[in-house]
Amino acid sequence: MDSSLRPDKLYFKKQIYIAILVTFIIHIFFIPFCLFVLGEKDSGYLVLMLGIASWLILIAISLFLYKLWIKNLSYIIKDSSITIYKGIFT
């Protein structure tokens, strides 16, 4: 008897919430640093825009790769063993 299990769609939604929370926490400290510390040299706004753009690109790529990982994640339960298939290229 073999049965295969797949992760729930809420698993990916959880990762989106974590990404939003981490983004919020990082920007709480990053925005004032750029505006008040680096803003005096007129490079603060450039650093702020480059930092936000690169962070959004990084989050988009990591969520895409995580979605691929979840898509390929499966558990096969056999009578005597449990096999886990995971990864992006499986």
Side-chain angles (χ1 to χ4, degrees):
M1 177 180 169
D2 292 348
S3 63
S4 178
L5 299 172
R6 309 277 305 166
D8 193 12
K9 294 187 189 288
L10 293 175
Y11 193 56
F12 181 66
K13 190 182 271 189
K14 175 184 155 187
Q15 296 305 316
I16 291 174
Y17 291 147
I18 290 172
I20 290 171
L21 179 67
V22 169
T23 300
F24 181 72
I25 290 171
I26 287 175
H27 281 87
I28 284 176
F29 299 106
F30 183 66
I31 291 173
F33 175 75
C34 288
L35 295 180
F36 298 120
V37 176
L38 299 176
E40 300 170 357
K41 301 174 189 171
D42 291 331
S43 65
Y45 296 109
L46 178 65
V47 171
L48 178 65
M49 292 302 143
L50 289 176
I52 289 174
S54 61
W55 180 256
L56 291 175
I57 291 170
L58 179 70
I59 289 294
I61 290 171
S62 63
L63 285 176
F64 173 72
L65 292 175
Y66 202 76
K67 185 167 179 96
L68 285 177
W69 186 77
I70 291 173
K71 181 181 173 186
N72 292 326
L73 182 63
S74 66
Y75 306 94
I76 298 175
I77 301 172
K78 299 179 182 178
D79 290 334
S80 62
S81 66
I82 297 175
T83 305
I84 301 173
Y85 293 105
K86 64 180 181 177
I88 296 174
F89 301 113
T90 57

